[in-house]
Amino acid sequence: MSPTKTTGLTDEQKRLLPVMRDRWIAIGLSTVPGDPDIAEQAIRDAYAVAGLPAPQAFVHLPSPLHGVFAAALLSRRSRQAVGREVWQEVWREVWREVGEVGYGLHDAAWLSFYDFFRTACHFQSCQRLEPLIRLAEHASWWWPFQHACIVTAKPTALHRDLQGRLHAESGPALDYAGTWGIWTWHGVRVPRQVIESPETLTVAQVLGEANAEVRRVMLQRMGTEKFLHGIGAEAVHKDDWGILWRSSAGVLDTAGQPYQFVQVVNSTPEQDGSFKDYFLRVSPRLTTAHEAVASTYRLTAEQYHPQIQT
């Protein structure tokens, strides 16, 4: 078949694009247990591609976090020498910089790219990645050493919202059989407490959170009214830019100043049509919401008049 004039791909290659896309999305999101024997053989083959003897032992662990600790316990000198050699040799023709840890199914994004050229375009240089492609279906993160290899299991549960973001309302969005997990709210990673015990969140915890996205989720889970009541907040000014809230005289920061927040609404809607509210901490010296919003950009109210708000 001759290449098309628009893409340079043959009809068969164009047919394979969505097939391979769906296959690799499924691999990257898979919670189906991998086969340890297949994973071990894939790693042996990766060592062989690098011209190295196969590891004599495999250490299987339940999560990447366990793998990180296990790798730290092994000889740094051995890990650097062998790990780098394996990766550099295996990826030599297709990857310029390599690390000492492989990500298994979490390498799906870039492995899919080279798998297409290997399978649909028959690029021989990409054939060297075949062991890693096979491994992605059966393992999570892994660490190559001279005589041993650490291999970690795939997640046992993965939950997402309608926009595809990691999200779960009552437990970990990414779970490794209860041994480790990641708690997220519509893609924002938060402490476990925020998801599983939001009723225990305190005003002090919200005030101490520096990350605006995490603080927004904490406020949402705690309840804005409960937070404002907890700090004895008073709305001291309101304009088209937002609402300026100040804490009562009994709730002060370490410098003895009242807490002041400007409540703003993100002008860009979410995919579901909703708008996010943010409480941005600002100086207690500011007297208008416009001044407060401008200060978050290190501008004065006179300087801050954007044509388009984001």
Side-chain angles (χ1 to χ4, degrees):
M1 297 181 184
S2 61
T4 65
K5 293 182 180 180
T6 55
T7 65
L9 298 178
T10 66
D11 290 341
E12 177 62 14
Q13 289 167 343
K14 291 173 66 177
R15 184 192 68 80
L16 285 174
L17 273 173
V19 174
M20 299 194 69
R21 174 202 63 200
D22 293 345
R23 173 175 178 264
W24 277 100
I25 288 175
I27 290 173
L29 298 176
S30 174
T31 56
V32 177
D35 186 321
D37 293 334
I38 295 178
E40 290 183 8
Q41 186 56 53
I43 291 171
R44 293 189 188 97
D45 293 342
Y47 273 67
V49 169
L52 296 171
Q56 299 172 9
F58 290 89
V59 180
H60 290 271
L61 296 171
S63 81
L65 182 63
H66 291 79
V68 168
F69 287 126
L73 293 175
L74 296 180
S75 166
R76 176 174 293 274
R77 178 178 179 181
S78 173
R79 178 160 55 106
Q80 289 177 341
V82 179
R84 286 176 179 163
E85 187 174 357
V86 169
W87 291 111
Q88 288 173 352
E89 288 300 317
V90 172
W91 292 349
R92 180 173 58 85
E93 297 183 32
V94 292
W95 198 251
R96 296 182 61 185
E97 295 182 3
V98 297
E100 299 175 33
V101 55
Y103 300 105
L105 81 164
H106 292 147
D107 275 328
W110 71 266
L111 282 176
S112 63
F113 177 82
Y114 293 107
D115 192 28
F116 175 80
F117 287 102
R118 181 183 73 95
T119 303
C121 303
H122 309 292
F123 283 13
Q124 289 303 308
S125 60
C126 297
Q127 189 60 36
R128 297 168 64 85
L129 291 174
E130 190 278 333
L132 303 185
I133 290 170
R134 197 179 343 133
L135 180 62
E137 298 189 65
H138 297 278
S140 187
W141 298 17
W142 63 288
W143 287 259
F145 290 82
Q146 184 173 10
H147 300 297
C149 185
I150 297 170
V151 189
T152 63
K154 294 164 58 178
T156 54
L158 186 153
H159 305 284
R160 299 186 297 159
D161 62 15
L162 295 178
Q163 283 72 54
R165 300 169 296 190
L166 283 176
H167 173 73
E169 298 186 4
S170 59
L174 189 64
D175 186 25
Y176 288 85
T179 65
W180 181 58
I182 294 176
W183 286 259
T184 64
W185 185 264
H186 296 294
V188 179
R189 187 171 181 178
V190 295
R192 179 175 184 173
Q193 177 192 11
V194 176
I195 300 298
E196 297 190 358
S197 306
E199 71 281 356
T200 67
L201 289 170
T202 66
V203 167
Q205 286 177 295
V206 177
L207 291 174
E209 178 53 57
N211 185 289
E213 281 286 351
V214 175
R215 186 168 62 246
R216 176 186 60 79
V217 175
M218 293 174 74
L219 280 167
Q220 183 179 352
R221 298 289 282 167
M222 178 188 206
T224 302
E225 291 185 4
K226 179 181 177 181
F227 171 74
L228 293 175
H229 177 76
I231 65 172
E234 176 188 0
V236 295
H237 187 262
K238 180 179 181 179
D239 57 25
D240 291 341
W241 301 93
I243 304 173
L244 194 61
W245 297 93
R246 184 177 298 158
S247 68
S248 67
V251 182
L252 305 176
D253 62 18
T254 55
Q257 297 293 319
Y259 289 93
Q260 187 153 275
F261 295 89
V262 61
Q263 180 182 356
V264 296
V265 179
N266 188 356
S267 61
T268 303
E270 298 298 296
Q271 292 187 18
D272 62 3
S274 63
F275 292 84
K276 292 180 179 178
D277 274 6
Y278 289 87
F279 282 75
L280 307 177
R281 189 176 178 186
V282 295
S283 169
R285 294 190 298 272
L286 302 174
T287 58
T288 71
H290 188 186
E291 284 182 311
V293 174
S295 74
T296 65
Y297 294 94
R298 298 185 179 181
L299 298 173
T300 65
E302 292 73 21
Q303 294 171 321
Y304 183 70
H305 286 281
Q307 297 298 314
I308 299 176
Q309 296 186 56
T310 60

